[in-house]
Amino acid sequence: MADEAKAKGNAAFSSGDYAAAVRHFSDAIALSPDNHVLYSNRSASYASLKKYSDALADAKKTVELKPDWSKGYSRLGAAHLGLSQYDDAIAAYKKGLEIDPNNEPLKYGLADAQAAASRARSAPANPFGDAFSGPEMWARLTADPTTRVYLQQPDFVKMMQDIQKDPNKLNLYLKDQRVMQAIGVLLNVKIRTPKRKRAAEAEPPRQPEPEPEPEPMDLSEEEKDKKLRKAEAQKQKEAGNAAYKKKDFDTAIHYYSKALELDDEDISYLTNRAAVYLEMGKYEECIKDCDKAVERGRELRSDFKMIARALTRKGTALVKMAKSSKDFEPAIETFQKALTEHRNPDTLKKLNEAEKAKKDLEQQEYFDPNLADEEREKGNEYFKQQKYPEAVRHYTESLRRNPKDPRTYSNRAACYTKLGAMPEGLKDAEKCIELDPTFVKGYTRKGAVQFFMKEYDKALETYKEGLKHDPNNQELLDGIGRCVQQINKASRGDLSPEELKERQAKAMQDPEIQNILQDPVMRQVCIHLCAFCTSNM
């Protein structure tokens, strides 16, 4: 139940529904209160909702439950950073790096915390500083219909970026009406333009003149060139996408490479080219492009989804190259890294498929009929010496080497019977019959287990089924004789009270009898029979 709630929480978090993620993780915590991963996930959800105090409480619980888990300190640092507790954030990130020195998210978190602490110490108090901090500034400007239009103007975006980096530069741009409008939106204050005269005092009405559009700021030659190169790179990418859809892979690579030459600050050109190499079966080239995309993405602080995409493509290429079970290990590790960046259902599916393929291949590599026969013979020797646990161990190893040999299942079933492990013996006997329905030993093993479990009717049916394949088998005939003897004994009423009570209990466990007793008509018949028997005693 806890795993189910956790899965729902992960799905909600991936879709951006953080409030629902909190609810599901809370349900999971109620069922499994000592699971540190659940507190970590809920902390991340609270942080995404900007509820940093709640995120901090969950992060502290995470490191309390699992003090040697580096991700817990990443959650702790993020919560402190959200609360502007920079020194605590730095301490948390450093503690995590002591556990895992190569953890990239911890390194980036520490750098952010140190930069924020440096800004807080060096910058003089600015009443508007908090309004321009973090991604919330861009979200609020995008949400307002007036400032949303300004975000399409490069000079306005540059001014806001300058102010965000250093709020003290605000004074340089206060004459720009767009900046004043943005301040009003960020501070939730209505900025009013100078009032017009009242109607009684006004001059004769005139047609209002349209306000002039603010002129864009002049760009340097370098900035103009960079803008043009980015635009041209996007055109090359679109041409590459069109070629890729037509499966013209060589042309697609040409366009993506050209886009990359024009603009090396967009890792999508690398991931797209990697996808083409993957389709062409050039897996080494695909992996190289994916590694470059991850490295460059870290430098540019690219979207985690883009980095996850590069890692997933790399994992897919590694799977395609895998020839042995060992070859799947780096692919599985790469998929796991991708999921830590962004939990994508497609990546999770690829991870599960890789793990299953590795397991299947391991079994194939371990398959060796000759070694299986040697282990089975060792098991036979221990069986003769009545050392049944040792025999079971060798029979089990034999089955790992050759899981299709019915003889080994039959022998292990005999061991389990001697050890009194009837359910395990019955399972092995049934597997023996499944692998070879003509192998009579399987029926004698199954019948013997059922007989010892005092399921005489079932044992009788098993022995009869075996006789269809070997009508003169003495072991089967003897088994039938023992079953008939026990059934007749019960029919004559020769059972002791303990035997009778045991048989009744076993009968009540039979699914067919349970179905009969659940039928209302049959239940009423049983009541009448009981009443009749009681009245005639």
Side-chain angles (χ1 to χ4, degrees):
M1 292 293 289
D3 289 340
E4 182 180 349
K6 176 187 173 186
K8 290 180 180 178
N10 290 340
F13 187 90
S14 298
S15 64
D17 190 353
Y18 305 121
V22 167
R23 289 198 303 273
H24 291 307
F25 289 134
S26 298
D27 292 341
I29 288 171
L31 296 168
S32 181
D34 295 328
N35 189 327
H36 63 282
V37 176
L38 299 177
Y39 287 100
S40 171
N41 290 3
R42 191 171 69 176
S43 176
S45 302
Y46 276 133
S48 299
L49 291 168
K50 313 304 177 190
K51 295 182 178 180
Y52 296 113
S53 296
D54 294 326
L56 180 61
D58 274 357
K60 287 181 176 179
K61 185 66 176 179
T62 302
V63 298
E64 175 189 331
L65 291 171
K66 189 72 172 173
D68 59 345
W69 193 46
S70 62
K71 183 174 280 190
Y73 296 95
S74 179
R75 302 296 191 212
L76 189 62
H80 280 307
L81 191 58
L83 293 168
S84 300
Q85 299 168 353
Y86 305 125
D87 291 338
D88 292 333
I90 291 170
Y93 287 125
K94 285 184 176 179
K95 180 65 175 176
L97 286 169
E98 289 177 10
I99 298 169
D100 185 1
N102 298 318
N103 189 292
E104 293 297 330
L106 284 169
K107 290 180 181 178
Y108 291 135
L110 177 60
D112 289 340
Q114 290 173 333
S118 178
R119 288 196 299 270
R121 284 192 295 268
S122 61
N126 190 309
F128 304 112
D130 291 339
F132 299 102
S133 63
E136 296 90 336
M137 181 189 82
W138 301 106
R140 296 183 70 176
L141 293 178
T142 304
D144 185 86
T146 303
T147 53
R148 186 188 308 136
V149 177
Y150 298 158
L151 292 175
Q152 299 174 8
Q153 300 168 9
D155 60 323
F156 172 78
V157 172
K158 187 176 185 304
M159 284 190 288
M160 296 307 295
Q161 288 174 339
D162 289 344
I163 296 170
Q164 189 177 42
K165 291 177 182 177
D166 184 3
N168 292 309
K169 290 185 178 180
L170 177 62
N171 294 331
L172 301 176
Y173 304 115
L174 286 177
K175 292 182 180 180
D176 194 303
Q177 292 299 316
R178 296 171 297 172
V179 174
M180 294 299 296
Q181 188 70 35
I183 293 173
V185 171
L186 296 175
L187 297 179
N188 201 20
V189 175
K190 187 173 182 180
I191 303 294
R192 298 180 179 177
T193 55
K195 294 183 178 179
R196 297 179 180 274
K197 294 181 180 180
R198 288 180 296 177
E201 303 172 356
E203 297 177 1
R206 293 182 297 178
Q207 290 294 329
E209 296 181 3
E211 294 185 4
E213 289 289 331
E215 296 182 3
M217 295 180 65
D218 292 333
L219 299 176
S220 66
E221 290 299 323
E222 183 181 349
E223 290 173 329
K224 288 180 181 179
D225 181 62
K226 185 176 181 180
K227 184 178 178 181
L228 290 172
R229 289 171 70 86
K230 282 184 176 291
E232 181 60 27
Q234 283 295 322
K235 291 181 181 179
Q236 297 291 331
K237 176 184 175 182
E238 291 170 5
N241 293 344
Y244 178 79
K245 290 176 182 178
K246 296 176 182 178
K247 297 190 179 299
D248 186 357
F249 298 135
D250 290 329
T251 303
I253 287 175
H254 167 76
Y255 284 122
Y256 290 140
S257 300
K258 187 66 177 175
L260 194 59
E261 291 173 9
L262 292 166
D263 178 15
D264 68 344
E265 294 183 353
D266 188 338
I267 65 171
S268 68
Y269 308 142
L270 281 167
T271 57
N272 285 15
R273 191 170 70 178
V276 180
Y277 282 135
L278 187 64
E279 289 287 339
M280 297 175 73
K282 296 182 177 182
Y283 304 126
E284 294 287 353
E285 288 84 349
C286 172
I287 292 170
K288 288 179 183 177
D289 270 1
C290 290
D291 286 338
K292 289 178 186 176
V294 172
E295 181 182 357
R296 188 66 175 136
R298 302 280 192 214
E299 295 172 359
L300 297 169
R301 302 291 180 89
S302 299
D303 188 346
F304 290 142
K305 292 181 181 179
M306 292 296 296
I307 294 175
R309 181 183 300 171
L311 289 168
T312 300
R313 294 228 167 112
K314 177 182 177 180
T316 305
L318 288 169
V319 166
K320 296 284 188 181
M321 295 171 65
K323 296 179 180 178
S324 67
S325 59
K326 286 285 185 183
D327 293 339
F328 279 95
E329 292 177 2
I332 291 170
E333 183 182 356
T334 303
F335 287 136
Q336 289 171 339
K337 286 182 180 178
L339 289 171
T340 61
E341 298 289 343
H342 174 60
R343 196 163 185 84
N344 181 283
D346 181 58
T347 305
L348 184 60
K349 180 182 177 184
K350 289 178 181 291
L351 172 62
N352 293 334
E353 290 173 349
E355 290 175 335
K356 183 179 183 301
K358 178 178 181 288
K359 184 178 179 181
D360 292 343
L361 204 53
E362 281 176 340
Q363 192 169 12
Q364 292 176 21
E365 291 167 351
Y366 205 71
F367 180 81
D368 190 327
N370 294 327
L371 289 177
D373 289 341
E374 290 179 13
E375 290 294 330
R376 181 167 52 80
E377 289 300 326
K378 291 178 183 178
N380 292 344
E381 289 299 321
Y382 279 112
F383 186 87
K384 292 174 184 177
Q385 299 172 26
Q386 299 184 3
K387 295 180 179 179
Y388 304 121
E390 290 84 353
V392 167
R393 187 172 67 252
H394 286 288
Y395 289 141
T396 301
E397 178 62 22
S398 176
L399 288 171
R400 288 185 64 202
R401 293 289 185 181
N402 183 9
K404 300 296 184 181
D405 191 341
R407 298 172 299 174
T408 312
Y409 280 105
S410 170
N411 293 1
R412 194 171 68 173
C415 278
Y416 281 136
T417 305
K418 293 291 186 180
L419 291 168
M422 300 305 171
E424 290 82 359
L426 182 61
K427 184 178 178 181
D428 272 3
E430 289 175 340
K431 184 65 177 179
C432 173
I433 295 171
E434 176 190 330
L435 291 171
D436 186 357
T438 65
F439 187 56
V440 175
K441 274 288 183 183
Y443 297 97
T444 61
R445 303 298 189 206
K446 183 178 178 180
V449 173
Q450 291 170 325
F451 185 87
F452 285 122
M453 295 173 71
K454 299 186 179 180
E455 296 176 349
Y456 304 121
D457 293 325
K458 291 182 179 179
L460 181 61
E461 291 299 320
T462 299
Y463 287 132
K464 287 181 178 179
E465 188 67 27
L467 285 175
K468 293 179 182 179
H469 304 286
D470 188 357
N472 299 316
N473 187 284
Q474 192 60 45
E475 196 172 353
L476 292 171
L477 294 171
D478 291 342
I480 289 175
R482 289 193 300 273
C483 291
V484 171
Q485 183 181 1
Q486 290 295 325
I487 293 170
N488 289 338
K489 182 179 178 181
S491 300
R492 292 193 303 268
D494 293 342
L495 299 175
S496 66
E498 291 77 10
E499 289 177 326
L500 181 60
K501 186 176 181 180
E502 186 178 353
R503 284 183 65 82
Q504 288 173 341
K506 283 190 173 293
M508 292 303 295
Q509 294 174 1
D510 191 310
E512 293 182 9
I513 293 177
Q514 289 178 359
N515 289 334
I516 291 172
L517 292 177
Q518 287 174 0
D519 185 278
V521 176
M522 292 303 300
R523 192 160 56 243
Q524 195 65 32
V525 170
C526 290
I527 293 171
H528 284 300
L529 284 173
C530 290
F532 176 79
C533 293
T534 303
S535 64
N536 286 278
M537 288 181 64

